[in-house]
Amino acid sequence: MNTRVLIVLALIIAGIAGWFFQQQGEITPPVNIEATDVDYEATDIKAVQTNDEGETEYELSAESLIHNPETNQDEMSGITMDWQPSDEQRYMIEAGSAAINQQSGDLRLGGGFSLVSEEKSASDIEPIKVTGQTLMGNTKSRQVYSNEPVKVEQGMNRFTASSMTANLETGEYEFGQVAVTFTPAERQDKALF
């Protein structure tokens, strides 16, 4: 083939390509990525917190974690926490979401929570299970509270309360406006003599 034919053919292809790209219209503007208020994030979290003596205080697992530098809080979803604030008490906590400030120890559980307490030394005592929507507290003072209604179960005993305060180190609870449903045993008529 002749070089002139190849040059003419290349010019025709370049002209068609130029016309084709010109007909495609405007190129959409590039994606604008803005700065977020998230410092770091992770998924499938497993963490251990120790006390000043190096003993494990709590173990935590979560589906996801986001650290917000503006509030200095770790915001998590789908958490499970095994908390042992003293030699006598152990707590299993589950919640839909949580926010923890590592410096101050402030804790907020939301999306529904379950707090199950066990006394390590007394195996014959039934564990106490407290459920509700929101639980606030502090990991350093080992105090938790809820100003919303909670449901409390211990063995066959059940009641609801309008609020709750608990010292997790000692295992002491205080409940406000307790409502109990009592179902007595069925009456059985018997002759006395």
Side-chain angles (χ1 to χ4, degrees), residues 96-117:
S97 64
I100 299 175
N101 185 316
Q102 294 297 332
Q103 271 66 39
S104 67
D106 291 335
L107 167 72
R108 182 182 190 284
L109 304 176
F113 75 89
S114 169
L115 169 70
V116 179
S117 66

mmCIF file of all heavy atoms in Angstrom, residues 96-117:
data_model
loop_
_atom_site.group_PDB
_atom_site.id
_atom_site.type_symbol
_atom_site.label_atom_id
_atom_site.label_comp_id
_atom_site.label_asym_id
_atom_site.label_seq_id
_atom_site.Cartn_x
_atom_site.Cartn_y
_atom_site.Cartn_z
ATOM 1 N N GLY A 96 -27.975 -1.337 70.178
ATOM 2 C CA GLY A 96 -27.975 -1.061 68.744
ATOM 3 C C GLY A 96 -26.893 -0.072 68.361
ATOM 4 O O GLY A 96 -26.253 -0.197 67.320
ATOM 5 N N SER A 97 -26.652 0.925 69.219
ATOM 6 C CA SER A 97 -25.608 1.920 68.947
ATOM 7 C C SER A 97 -25.028 2.405 70.266
ATOM 8 O O SER A 97 -25.646 2.276 71.314
ATOM 9 C CB SER A 97 -26.176 3.104 68.160
ATOM 10 O OG SER A 97 -27.143 3.783 68.926
ATOM 11 N N ALA A 98 -23.824 2.970 70.180
ATOM 12 C CA ALA A 98 -23.163 3.493 71.372
ATOM 13 C C ALA A 98 -22.251 4.638 70.986
ATOM 14 O O ALA A 98 -21.731 4.690 69.876
ATOM 15 C CB ALA A 98 -22.346 2.402 72.057
ATOM 16 N N ALA A 99 -22.063 5.557 71.921
ATOM 17 C CA ALA A 99 -21.100 6.646 71.776
ATOM 18 C C ALA A 99 -20.301 6.695 73.067
ATOM 19 O O ALA A 99 -20.875 6.802 74.149
ATOM 20 C CB ALA A 99 -21.798 7.970 71.517
ATOM 21 N N ILE A 100 -18.975 6.584 72.951
ATOM 22 C CA ILE A 100 -18.096 6.578 74.118
ATOM 23 C C ILE A 100 -17.023 7.637 73.934
ATOM 24 O O ILE A 100 -16.381 7.703 72.889
ATOM 25 C CB ILE A 100 -17.427 5.201 74.312
ATOM 26 C CG1 ILE A 100 -18.468 4.111 74.535
ATOM 27 C CG2 ILE A 100 -16.450 5.228 75.481
ATOM 28 C CD1 ILE A 100 -17.902 2.714 74.624
ATOM 29 N N ASN A 101 -16.829 8.442 74.960
ATOM 30 C CA ASN A 101 -15.721 9.384 74.992
ATOM 31 C C ASN A 101 -14.625 8.738 75.827
ATOM 32 O O ASN A 101 -14.792 8.548 77.024
ATOM 33 C CB ASN A 101 -16.159 10.718 75.597
ATOM 34 C CG ASN A 101 -15.067 11.757 75.541
ATOM 35 O OD1 ASN A 101 -13.908 11.479 75.840
ATOM 36 N ND2 ASN A 101 -15.438 12.962 75.168
ATOM 37 N N GLN A 102 -13.501 8.382 75.202
ATOM 38 C CA GLN A 102 -12.448 7.651 75.893
ATOM 39 C C GLN A 102 -11.779 8.469 76.996
ATOM 40 O O GLN A 102 -11.333 7.917 77.990
ATOM 41 C CB GLN A 102 -11.391 7.165 74.888
ATOM 42 C CG GLN A 102 -11.901 6.135 73.911
ATOM 43 C CD GLN A 102 -12.338 4.844 74.583
ATOM 44 O OE1 GLN A 102 -11.851 4.473 75.635
ATOM 45 N NE2 GLN A 102 -13.281 4.150 73.971
ATOM 46 N N GLN A 103 -11.696 9.798 76.841
ATOM 47 C CA GLN A 103 -11.046 10.616 77.859
ATOM 48 C C GLN A 103 -11.917 10.767 79.109
ATOM 49 O O GLN A 103 -11.454 10.576 80.218
ATOM 50 C CB GLN A 103 -10.708 12.018 77.311
ATOM 51 C CG GLN A 103 -9.352 12.108 76.660
ATOM 52 C CD GLN A 103 -9.265 11.273 75.392
ATOM 53 O OE1 GLN A 103 -10.201 11.206 74.613
ATOM 54 N NE2 GLN A 103 -8.140 10.637 75.191
ATOM 55 N N SER A 104 -13.188 11.129 78.923
ATOM 56 C CA SER A 104 -14.060 11.354 80.073
ATOM 57 C C SER A 104 -14.740 10.082 80.550
ATOM 58 O O SER A 104 -15.182 10.008 81.691
ATOM 59 C CB SER A 104 -15.119 12.402 79.723
ATOM 60 O OG SER A 104 -16.007 11.886 78.745
ATOM 61 N N GLY A 105 -14.866 9.074 79.680
ATOM 62 C CA GLY A 105 -15.550 7.836 80.042
ATOM 63 C C GLY A 105 -17.050 7.889 79.844
ATOM 64 O O GLY A 105 -17.752 6.923 80.152
ATOM 65 N N ASP A 106 -17.572 9.016 79.334
ATOM 66 C CA ASP A 106 -19.023 9.131 79.122
ATOM 67 C C ASP A 106 -19.487 8.123 78.088
ATOM 68 O O ASP A 106 -18.849 7.915 77.058
ATOM 69 C CB ASP A 106 -19.390 10.548 78.681
ATOM 70 C CG ASP A 106 -19.205 11.555 79.799
ATOM 71 O OD1 ASP A 106 -19.269 11.149 80.973
ATOM 72 O OD2 ASP A 106 -19.009 12.743 79.497
ATOM 73 N N LEU A 107 -20.619 7.505 78.365
ATOM 74 C CA LEU A 107 -21.152 6.423 77.554
ATOM 75 C C LEU A 107 -22.625 6.676 77.309
ATOM 76 O O LEU A 107 -23.358 7.058 78.229
ATOM 77 C CB LEU A 107 -20.962 5.099 78.310
ATOM 78 C CG LEU A 107 -21.669 3.854 77.843
ATOM 79 C CD1 LEU A 107 -21.021 3.357 76.551
ATOM 80 C CD2 LEU A 107 -21.596 2.774 78.903
ATOM 81 N N ARG A 108 -23.067 6.476 76.067
ATOM 82 C CA ARG A 108 -24.494 6.588 75.730
ATOM 83 C C ARG A 108 -24.852 5.423 74.820
ATOM 84 O O ARG A 108 -24.295 5.283 73.736
ATOM 85 C CB ARG A 108 -24.789 7.898 75.017
ATOM 86 C CG ARG A 108 -26.265 8.065 74.699
ATOM 87 C CD ARG A 108 -26.541 9.363 73.937
ATOM 88 N NE ARG A 108 -27.942 9.634 73.827
ATOM 89 C CZ ARG A 108 -28.776 9.006 72.988
ATOM 90 N NH1 ARG A 108 -28.337 8.072 72.199
ATOM 91 N NH2 ARG A 108 -30.062 9.329 72.950
ATOM 92 N N LEU A 109 -25.771 4.576 75.283
ATOM 93 C CA LEU A 109 -26.250 3.446 74.494
ATOM 94 C C LEU A 109 -27.643 3.774 73.986
ATOM 95 O O LEU A 109 -28.482 4.243 74.751
ATOM 96 C CB LEU A 109 -26.298 2.168 75.340
ATOM 97 C CG LEU A 109 -25.005 1.737 76.014
ATOM 98 C CD1 LEU A 109 -25.240 0.520 76.875
ATOM 99 C CD2 LEU A 109 -23.938 1.458 74.982
ATOM 100 N N GLY A 110 -27.889 3.535 72.715
ATOM 101 C CA GLY A 110 -29.195 3.817 72.125
ATOM 102 C C GLY A 110 -29.641 2.687 71.226
ATOM 103 O O GLY A 110 -28.956 1.685 71.055
ATOM 104 N N GLY A 111 -30.796 2.862 70.633
ATOM 105 C CA GLY A 111 -31.319 1.841 69.729
ATOM 106 C C GLY A 111 -31.748 0.582 70.441
ATOM 107 O O GLY A 111 -31.750 -0.495 69.863
ATOM 108 N N GLY A 112 -32.070 0.703 71.717
ATOM 109 C CA GLY A 112 -32.433 -0.452 72.529
ATOM 110 C C GLY A 112 -31.201 -1.046 73.187
ATOM 111 O O GLY A 112 -30.169 -1.184 72.549
ATOM 112 N N PHE A 113 -31.307 -1.361 74.476
ATOM 113 C CA PHE A 113 -30.167 -1.947 75.184
ATOM 114 C C PHE A 113 -30.637 -3.080 76.070
ATOM 115 O O PHE A 113 -31.811 -3.188 76.428
ATOM 116 C CB PHE A 113 -29.432 -0.893 76.029
ATOM 117 C CG PHE A 113 -30.156 -0.515 77.294
ATOM 118 C CD1 PHE A 113 -29.946 -1.207 78.473
ATOM 119 C CD2 PHE A 113 -31.058 0.530 77.302
ATOM 120 C CE1 PHE A 113 -30.620 -0.862 79.635
ATOM 121 C CE2 PHE A 113 -31.736 0.892 78.459
ATOM 122 C CZ PHE A 113 -31.517 0.181 79.625
ATOM 123 N N SER A 114 -29.702 -3.937 76.411
ATOM 124 C CA SER A 114 -29.918 -5.031 77.347
ATOM 125 C C SER A 114 -28.720 -5.058 78.283
ATOM 126 O O SER A 114 -27.578 -5.109 77.823
ATOM 127 C CB SER A 114 -30.044 -6.358 76.599
ATOM 128 O OG SER A 114 -29.995 -7.442 77.500
ATOM 129 N N LEU A 115 -28.963 -5.005 79.591
ATOM 130 C CA LEU A 115 -27.917 -5.031 80.609
ATOM 131 C C LEU A 115 -28.194 -6.222 81.511
ATOM 132 O O LEU A 115 -29.216 -6.261 82.194
ATOM 133 C CB LEU A 115 -27.934 -3.726 81.423
ATOM 134 C CG LEU A 115 -27.080 -3.667 82.687
ATOM 135 C CD1 LEU A 115 -25.605 -3.631 82.340
ATOM 136 C CD2 LEU A 115 -27.449 -2.452 83.516
ATOM 137 N N VAL A 116 -27.311 -7.221 81.489
ATOM 138 C CA VAL A 116 -27.477 -8.420 82.313
ATOM 139 C C VAL A 116 -26.342 -8.440 83.323
ATOM 140 O O VAL A 116 -25.165 -8.412 82.947
ATOM 141 C CB VAL A 116 -27.449 -9.705 81.455
ATOM 142 C CG1 VAL A 116 -27.600 -10.934 82.335
ATOM 143 C CG2 VAL A 116 -28.537 -9.666 80.399
ATOM 144 N N SER A 117 -26.704 -8.489 84.618
ATOM 145 C CA SER A 117 -25.678 -8.491 85.663
ATOM 146 C C SER A 117 -25.642 -9.826 86.376
ATOM 147 O O SER A 117 -26.671 -10.457 86.581
ATOM 148 C CB SER A 117 -25.939 -7.371 86.667
ATOM 149 O OG SER A 117 -27.132 -7.629 87.368
#
